[in-house]
């Protein structure tokens, strides 16, 4: 008797993507057919997101659509962890729920479903983290891979539900991470992106202190051209971490720091573990010590009680520090978080106005920083081909996948996954255009 076929849909962040990839690997290892065609599949596995309201709406829309098609649905991820009782009650088509710390049990869950059981596999407090030995089938382009170094979070920011959904921080060993990095290198990966909730806190739970600098140095021997760090807390970018970056040529000087705000009173209300003047000092120090670094950050506007003056403080901060890349989110009121019950919630209209205003303030900064690259030759990772336009599309080291810009390269015969020298000829706010430099 043949095993059922399972279609898999991934929603949410790249940490969620890694969970999806492990489930795909486990299913394939166990002999299940994995198909992208939901019509032909016996089950549809949806790995959901529940971080903010918009993400929940997308997850729910996906589930309702599948239910209306009469599909048998396996719901995994943050929405399952968050709303298990409601999902079971509202979606009779849901044959199984799998929590954020239980995806490693996917094969057992399906075996039980096949026996007629309606399965809930959800640990109340997630404690699992996968290592390099758990099967994995990557869903990114062949040249790019995400490598999760830790799971969960020990901080309790007032707006964030992640610790409730994914538990406290639990780090992998340096040896485990380096072993997986070597595996990825052997598969032809050209860029590894290190991810966790707070990458600068890596190792604190198992080593007694953060070990990011040591990890960076160990990874510098892995034969991968680009290693990128995501989700850094500014105060965790210590002198030791900066020195490790300087000594590790394949670890990119790309600093992704979700600062969230600049005003000290807003940061205090957010329960962020530093204050505004610290942000200023850290940025100045990093500019001084890493003059060629690329800086990316994200901010939240419309946090409860945020005044016009506090928002203008943020605008001035952005103009002062001249970030290369900047993302802006409107505050999402989340039930079960401290901020969710704060007074003075900001109307949606004002949140959207502030988001637009901050993005407009950033646009000339991004444009100037891109235009400053015209005439320079940058290494570009080629990821797509557009034969009709006679060009390829890739990324320079200053662009992370999916969130930053791209480089459009005139040229022929470039191999996907190759890193080539490109002279920058033109730039706009987000993207660059260049010409292949012939050897």
């Amino acid at each position: 008797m043949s095993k059922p076929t399972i279609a898999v849909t991934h929603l949410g962040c790249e940490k969620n993507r890694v969970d999806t990839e492990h489930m795909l690997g486990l299913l394939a290892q166990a002999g299940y057919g994995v198909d992208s065609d939901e019509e032909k599949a016996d089950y549809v596995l949806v790995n959901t997101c529940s971080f903010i309201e918009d993400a929940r709406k997308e997850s729910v829309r996906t589930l309702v659509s599948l239910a209306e098609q009469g599909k048998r649905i396996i719901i995994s991820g943050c929405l399952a962890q968050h709303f298990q009782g409601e999902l079971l009650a509202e979606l009779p088509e849901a044959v199984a729920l799998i929590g954020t710390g239980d995806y490693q049990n996917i094969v057992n869950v399906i075996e039980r479903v096949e026996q007629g059981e309606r399965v809930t596999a959800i640990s109340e407090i997630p404690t699992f983290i996968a290592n390099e030995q758990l099967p994995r089938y990557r869903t990114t382009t062949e040249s790019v891979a995400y490598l999760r170094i830790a799971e969960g979070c020990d901080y309790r920011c007032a707006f964030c539900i992640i610790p409730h959904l994914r538990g406290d921080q639990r780090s992998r060993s340096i040896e485990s991470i380096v072993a997986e990095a070597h595996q990825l290198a052997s598969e032809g990966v050209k860029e590894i992106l290190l991810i966790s909730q707070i990458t600068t806190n890596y190792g604190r739970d198992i080593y007694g202190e953060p070990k990011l600098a040591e990890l960076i140095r160990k990874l510098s021997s892995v034969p991968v051209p680009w290693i990128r760090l995501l989700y850094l807390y500014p105060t965790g970018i210590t002198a030791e971490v900066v020195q490790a970056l300087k000594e590790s040529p394949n670890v990119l000087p790309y600093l992704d720091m979700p600062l969230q705000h600049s005003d000290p009173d807003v940061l205090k209300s957010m329960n962020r573990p530093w204050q505004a003047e610290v942000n200023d000092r850290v940025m100045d120090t990093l500019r001084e010590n890493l003059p060629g670094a690329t800086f990316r950050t994200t901010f939240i506007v419309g946090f409860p009680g945020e005044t016009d003056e506090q928002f203008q403080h943020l605008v001035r901060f952005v103009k002062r520090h001249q970030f290369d890349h900047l993302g802006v989110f409107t505050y999402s009121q989340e039930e079960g978080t401290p901020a969710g019950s704060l007074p003075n919630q900001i109307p949606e209209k004002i949140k959207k106005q502030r988001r637009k205003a901050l993005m407009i303030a950033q646009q000339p900064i991004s444009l100037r920083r891109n235009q400053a690259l015209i005439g320079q030759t940058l290494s570009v990772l080629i990821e797509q081909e557009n034969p009709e336009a006679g060009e390829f599309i890739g990324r320079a080291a200053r662009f992370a996948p999916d969130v930053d810009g791209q480089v459009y390269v005139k040229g022929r015969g470039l191999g996907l996954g190759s890193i080539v020298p490109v002279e920058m000829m033109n730039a706009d706010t987000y993207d660059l255009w260049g010409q292949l430099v012939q050897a």
Side-chain angles (χ1 to χ4, degrees), residues 116-128:
E117 186 180 348
R118 197 182 193 200
V119 181
T120 299
I122 297 180
S123 301
E124 183 177 349
I125 301 175
T127 58
F128 179 76

Side-chain angles (χ1 to χ4, degrees), residues 43 95 110-119:
Y43 298 96
V95 297
I110 291 176
E111 289 172 349
R112 290 163 62 189
V113 168
E114 283 286 279
Q115 297 299 315
E117 186 180 348
R118 197 182 193 200
V119 181

Side-chain angles (χ1 to χ4, degrees), residues 71-117:
K71 306 303 295 184
R72 290 187 289 177
I73 310 169
I74 300 165
I75 308 173
S76 67
C78 289
L79 198 73
Q81 189 77 30
H82 199 178
F83 296 109
Q84 50 189 288
E86 293 92 327
L87 289 170
L88 287 172
E90 296 292 331
L91 285 172
E93 296 82 2
V95 297
L97 300 181
I98 302 174
T100 58
D102 302 271
Y103 56 88
Q104 73 278 12
N105 299 316
I106 179 65
V107 172
N108 174 260
V109 167
I110 291 176
E111 289 172 349
R112 290 163 62 189
V113 168
E114 283 286 279
Q115 297 299 315
E117 186 180 348

Side-chain angles (χ1 to χ4, degrees), residues 186-332:
S186 71
E187 295 169 10
V189 168
K190 299 297 176 61
E191 178 180 4
I192 292 176
L193 298 100
L194 303 188
I195 55 172
S196 66
Q197 286 305 131
I198 302 177
T199 297
T200 34
N201 276 359
Y202 164 73
R204 176 178 285 170
D205 51 310
I206 58 174
Y207 297 116
E209 61 181 357
K211 289 288 186 179
L212 180 60
E214 184 175 336
L215 177 63
I216 289 171
R217 290 191 172 96
K218 295 287 187 182
L219 288 170
S220 67
S221 64
V222 177
V224 168
W226 291 356
I227 296 177
R228 189 184 304 272
L229 309 176
L230 299 182
Y231 317 125
L232 307 167
Y233 259 50
T235 49
I237 309 174
T238 60
E240 187 182 7
V241 169
V242 169
Q243 189 60 34
L245 287 170
K246 288 181 176 179
E247 295 171 4
S248 307
N250 64 336
V251 182
L252 301 175
Y254 175 100
L255 301 178
D256 169 52
M257 303 178 293
L259 298 178
Q260 310 304 7
H261 214 279
S262 64
D263 183 85
D265 291 329
V266 175
L267 286 167
K268 186 176 180 180
S269 294
M270 288 179 168
N271 198 31
R272 300 289 282 176
W274 69 82
Q275 295 304 311
E277 62 274 10
V278 177
N279 282 354
D280 277 316
R281 287 201 302 271
V282 167
M283 286 301 304
D284 292 341
T285 300
L286 290 174
R287 290 268 187 218
E288 182 180 336
N289 287 286
L290 292 168
T294 299
F295 291 91
R296 176 178 178 80
T297 191
T298 52
F299 294 113
I300 295 172
V301 295
F303 189 80
E306 181 191 55
T307 64
D308 286 337
E309 174 51 36
Q310 289 168 336
F311 173 68
Q312 290 305 319
H313 187 287
L314 180 56
V315 173
R316 291 192 297 272
F317 182 85
V318 165
K319 289 180 177 179
R320 176 185 170 189
H321 288 296
Q322 301 280 301
F323 296 96
D324 296 272
H325 311 298
L326 187 148
V328 186
F329 296 92
T330 56
Y331 167 74
S332 176

